[in-house]
Amino acid sequence: MIQPLRPLLVMGTRPEAIKMAPIVARCREHVAIDPIVCFTGQHDTMLRQVTDYFGIEPDVDLKLMEPGQSLTRLTARALTALDETMEKFHPDCVVAQGDTTSVLAAAMVAFYRRLPLVHVEAGLRTGDLSAPWPEEYNRRVASITTALHCAPTEFAAAALEREGVSRAAIRVTGNTVIDALLETADRERARADHWQAKHAYLGDRPMVLITAHRRENHGAGLDSVFAAIAQLAHDFPHVSFVFPVHLNPQVQRAAAEHLASVPNVQRLDPLPYPEFVWMMDRAKLIVSDSGGVQEEAPSLRRPVLALRETTERSEAVDVGAVRLVGCDPTKLIASVRQLLTDDAAYRAMQVEHSPFGDGTAAQQIIDWMLETWRPEHAAGELETSAVLAGGVASPS
Ligand code: UD1
Ligand code: UDP
C-alpha cells in the first residue's frame, strides 16, 4: 500500500493564505496527498479573512500573533512552535510560500529536521537587503535550503540560477496568486450588485484604492504618502480614495493622523479577500506597497503606483503595468494626477497578459511534488484506491 504524501503546508499571513489556498485545494482533491495544514497565526484576523473564504481549517494553529510583535521575538516563537509541529506530525516535506517570518522559520526548522522544503514563489529578488525589509533576507535564507524552487517567472528562475541553484531544482510554475485571483474575480463579478450596495458611497465616482504596510516605509515614508493622499483628495473632490488600513499599529496610527478628517477618503478595516478583489476590479487605479497587489492588478488591467523604490516583481514594471513612485509625495501626486486625467497614459499601463501566470500554478506545483516523492502518481490521472493499494514503497 502506497502511503500518501504528507506535506506540511505552512501559512502565517494574509498573502500566504491567499497564495497557499489553491495548493491546499489541489492537495485535498488528490487521493495521493494527505496535507497537514499549519497556521502559524503570525496574522490572526487578516489570515482568517482569507481562510474563511476558501474554507480552509487548520490541522494546527500556532496562534503566534502578539500586538506590535518584534521580528526577533516572533521568529524565536515560530521556530519553537514549528519544531514541535514537525515533531508531532512527521511530514514528508514542508511547503511554504514567499518571504515572511513564518517562511523563514519554516525553512530553518525543516533544515534542522532534514525535511525537504518546497518554496512557492521562489527567486524573487531586489538585490537590496534593506528593501523589502526583512523579506529579501527571508527569501534568500529559504532559497539556500529549498529542494523544489517553484519560480513564478523565467526571470525569477534566472535569479536562482545566478545564485548557483541547479536548473533541475527549479520549475517555472507561475504564481498561485493568479489561480486564486481568477477564480475569485469571476465569482465576485457575479456579486457586483451586492458589493456596490455595500459601498454605496462610491456611486459611479472614479476610485483610487490604497494599501500600505511595508516596514521599511513606517515612519517618515508613510507620513509623506498619507499627506500626499490628503492633498490629492482635496484636489480631486469627485474621486473616492478608499483605504482598507492594515492592522499593523504603525500603519493605523499614521493613517488616522493624516486622513481622519478628509471627506472623500474612506478608511476601512482590512477587507475580506473577495471584497478586496471586487474593490481592485472597481478601482480606476491602485496606490500600494503590496507585493501581492503588484501581481494581481495587471490581470485586472488596473495600473499600480508602487510605493517602493525597488521591487522584486520587476516583470510588472517591465511590461508597464506598475510604476515605482517610492514614498516621494511629488512623484505620487504627479502620477495619480496624470492617470486620472490623461487617458493615453492610463491605457498605456493596461496590459493584455499577466507576467505572473495563467492560473495553473498550484496544479504544476503538486504535480512536481508527486513526480519527486510519489512518482507512481505523477500522471495525476491514476488516482484510484486500486493504485494506492498497488504496493509501491514510499520513497520519503
Ligand atoms: C507581515 C510580513 C510581510 C507581509 C505582511 C502581509 C514579516 C516580517 N512581515 O508584515 O512580509 O507583507 O505581513 O500583510 O513577516 N496585526 C493584527 N492582526 C492581524 C495581522 C496583524 O492586529 O491579523 C497587527 C499586530 O499588531 C501585529 C502587527 O500587525 O503584531 C504586525 O504583524 P506582522 O505579521 O509582524 O507584520 P506585518 O507588517 O503584518
Ligand atoms: N488584500 C485583502 N484585503 C485587503 C488588502 C489586501 O484581501 O484589505 C489582499 C490582496 O488581494 C493581496 C494580498 O492581500 O492578495 C496582499 O497582502 P499584503 O499587501 O498584506 O501583503 P504583501 O502582498 O505585500 O506581502
Side-chain angles (χ1 to χ4, degrees):
M1 167 97 181
I2 305 170
Q3 293 301 313
L5 183 70
R6 297 189 76 232
L8 182 73
L9 308 180
V10 178
M11 60 193 86
T13 66
R14 168 170 72 189
E16 289 163 80
I18 292 165
K19 292 170 175 180
M20 289 295 284
I23 295 180
V24 175
R26 296 293 87 74
C27 284
R28 288 204 166 137
E29 282 163 14
H30 208 296
V31 70
I33 305 182
D34 180 16
I36 308 147
V37 175
C38 172
F39 293 178
T40 67
Q42 177 176 339
H43 284 178
D44 57 10
T45 318
M46 288 165 56
L47 183 91
R48 293 283 179 168
Q49 283 185 319
V50 178
T51 54
D52 287 354
Y53 177 67
F54 287 108
I56 302 172
E57 272 303 320
D59 297 289
V60 55
D61 184 350
L62 305 178
K63 296 186 187 299
L64 292 178
M65 203 200 84
E66 295 177 332
Q69 57 207 1
S70 79
L71 293 175
T72 304
R73 186 171 156 79
L74 175 64
T75 305
R77 294 171 65 241
L79 286 171
T80 308
L82 281 165
D83 192 47
E84 288 165 4
T85 303
M86 291 186 209
E87 173 73 32
K88 179 175 171 194
F89 287 93
H90 289 293
D92 295 318
C93 60
V94 175
V95 184
Q97 185 285 327
D99 57 12
T100 66
T101 299
S102 295
V103 177
L104 174 74
M108 287 178 69
V109 178
F111 177 67
Y112 291 152
R113 289 192 163 269
R114 297 181 184 275
L115 287 168
L117 177 69
V118 179
H119 191 206
V120 177
E121 197 182 272
L124 275 62
R125 298 287 186 272
T126 60
D128 177 355
L129 280 172
S130 68
W133 180 87
E135 290 83 358
E136 175 84 358
Y137 170 82
N138 295 347
R139 285 184 189 281
R140 290 197 211 177
V141 173
S143 291
I144 295 170
T145 59
T146 291
L148 306 186
H149 301 258
C150 306
T153 64
E154 284 294 345
F155 188 75
L160 289 166
E161 282 192 280
R162 281 197 297 278
E163 291 174 10
V165 178
S166 152
R167 184 72 206 198
I170 306 169
R171 200 169 276 191
V172 177
T173 59
N175 196 313
T176 53
V177 78
I178 303 299
D179 305 25
L181 176 72
L182 296 181
E183 183 189 321
T184 307
D186 276 352
R187 200 179 296 147
E188 299 316 317
R189 279 181 192 133
R191 298 209 294 157
D193 288 350
H194 166 77
W195 296 124
Q196 184 65 41
K198 179 166 180 194
H199 297 281
Y201 56 86
L202 289 173
D204 56 6
R205 302 198 299 173
M207 185 255 281
V208 177
L209 181 61
I210 301 155
T211 83
H213 72 86
R214 301 234 59 83
R215 282 180 189 254
E216 66 271 19
N217 289 346
H218 290 180
L222 288 186
D223 284 335
S224 302
V225 167
F226 297 160
I229 299 288
Q231 179 66 51
L232 282 161
H234 178 265
D235 295 348
F236 291 91
H238 66 291
V239 174
S240 271
F241 293 78
V242 176
F243 182 8
V245 185
H246 192 288
L247 293 178
N248 193 310
Q250 301 257 23
V251 185
Q252 292 272 330
R253 209 170 13 250
E257 192 178 314
H258 292 278
L259 300 170
S261 53
V262 187
N264 51 331
V265 175
Q266 305 291 328
R267 279 179 309 133
L268 307 177
D269 289 334
L271 295 174
Y273 177 62
E275 193 168 350
F276 186 77
V277 168
W278 177 81
M279 274 286 183
M280 283 194 287
D281 213 25
R282 169 67 179 77
K284 169 94 174 163
L285 64 109
I286 304 174
V287 173
S288 176
D289 62 11
S290 165
V293 170
Q294 289 175 67
E295 294 157 343
E296 292 164 332
S299 285
L300 300 172
R301 307 186 78 234
R302 296 295 176 268
V304 176
L305 299 174
L307 303 168
R308 294 178 174 221
E309 299 296 339
T310 176
T311 179
E312 66 282 33
R313 277 97 176 169
S314 53
E315 298 90 333
V317 176
D318 293 344
V319 298
V322 170
R323 185 187 300 172
L324 300 178
V325 295
C327 293
D328 178 341
T330 312
K331 273 193 203 163
L332 176 59
I333 289 172
S335 288
V336 172
R337 183 180 295 281
Q338 182 197 42
L339 292 176
L340 288 176
T341 57
D342 178 342
D343 278 352
Y346 182 84
R347 279 197 304 276
M349 290 187 75
Q350 292 185 297
V351 296
E352 289 305 321
H353 300 290
S354 165
F356 298 111
D358 61 3
T360 61
Q363 188 61 52
Q364 294 187 51
I365 290 165
I366 71 153
D367 285 350
W368 193 21
M369 286 164 56
L370 287 170
E371 273 170 51
T372 307
W373 292 302
R374 294 293 183 276
E376 308 79 7
H377 294 284
E381 254 66 71
L382 312 172
E383 305 317 326
T384 66
S385 50
V387 172
L388 269 182
V392 183
S394 161
S396 61

